[in-house]
Amino acid sequence: MQILGLPDGRVLALGERDCSVQRRHQKVVEESPSPGIGPELRERMLAAAVRAGEAVGYLGAGTVECLVDADAQDFVFLEMNTRLQVEHPVTELVTGLDLVELQLRVAAGESPEITVAPQGHAIEFRVYAEDPKRFLPGPGRITTWDEPAGAGIRVDSGYAAGDTVTMFYDPLMAKLCVVGADRTEALELGRKAVAEFTVEGPRSNLPFCAELLENPAFVAGDYDTGLVGRMRA
């Protein structure tokens, strides 16, 4: 759950993100809203996140992470990250808020009036320089880098053709994000964007993203943190 603590004492909940698509216990795909929780559980989780922020007088952007039992529709606290997360763009896409700008305004002592009214559905794909089957690092010099573009598509990247992805740092090359009126539209945009994203030189997990977008459990929104393991079993 994304929260924002303001200098006037208010703590706002900006919605939740589902980060269950993981490999090696690290996130690969994130989306908002979560397809695995219902309205009542969502309300309880967001309220709990606000209370956690209020309890410590939290200031700025932060993320309260929980583990969810989808069958029982209940949750337990995991940790709080006192910073922006890699997946913060999905919150920005469904709320229309710029979280980086808001952090700067809060740091300057402002308490902006914010309307939180999430709309649509957003999905983020982390584009890694790695083997799409075994998820082992695949560093190398980028010979081709061609990003997708168009309505509903956002790419946050730090690489271009001619750059080298080394073995010394995290293999994340880009965040490919899509937003649609609903999850079905977001999935279609995701398929289009993944197909149009070309990275040559280092290995990339784009083929895995394409595979995921055709996986019945993921498409149905009926998945958990064991999904990738089952796909590779």
Side-chain angles (χ1 to χ4, degrees), residues 45-216:
M45 292 179 71
L46 293 174
V50 168
R51 290 197 302 273
E54 291 174 339
V56 297
Y58 191 74
L59 191 64
T63 307
V64 178
E65 295 197 356
C66 295
L67 293 173
V68 172
D69 183 332
D71 293 332
Q73 285 291 286
D74 207 355
F75 67 101
V76 293
F77 174 75
L78 179 63
E79 64 178 358
M80 181 173 181
N81 287 291
T82 54
R83 54 179 172 80
L84 283 185
Q85 299 285 89
V86 173
E87 63 272 15
H88 81 269
V90 295
T91 297
E92 293 186 334
L93 289 170
V94 296
T95 62
L97 300 172
D98 186 326
L99 295 182
V100 176
E101 176 191 343
L102 288 172
Q103 281 199 125
L104 293 171
R105 294 178 67 182
V106 167
E110 295 183 33
S111 294
E113 290 300 323
I114 298 170
T115 299
V116 183
Q119 295 183 343
H121 196 101
I123 307 174
E124 174 183 292
F125 303 88
R126 300 191 188 193
V127 181
Y128 288 114
E130 65 182 20
D131 183 307
K133 291 292 185 181
R134 297 177 297 165
F135 308 116
L136 298 176
R141 183 177 181 275
I142 300 172
T143 56
T144 301
W145 182 276
D146 190 7
E147 299 178 359
I153 298 174
R154 166 177 166 175
V155 181
D156 293 1
S157 60
Y159 286 92
D163 292 339
T164 298
V165 181
T166 75
M167 67 181 73
F168 303 110
Y169 302 101
D170 189 282
L172 181 65
M173 295 186 290
K175 299 184 290 186
L176 171 59
C177 309
V178 295
V179 60
D182 53 28
R183 192 170 188 268
T184 298
E185 184 175 307
L187 290 171
E188 283 301 317
L189 273 172
R191 295 184 184 100
K192 175 180 183 293
V194 167
E196 293 179 357
F197 203 154
T198 303
V199 179
E200 295 178 353
R203 303 294 298 271
S204 92
N205 69 331
L206 285 166
F208 166 76
C209 295
E211 178 187 355
L212 178 73
L213 283 161
E214 301 303 330
N215 178 271

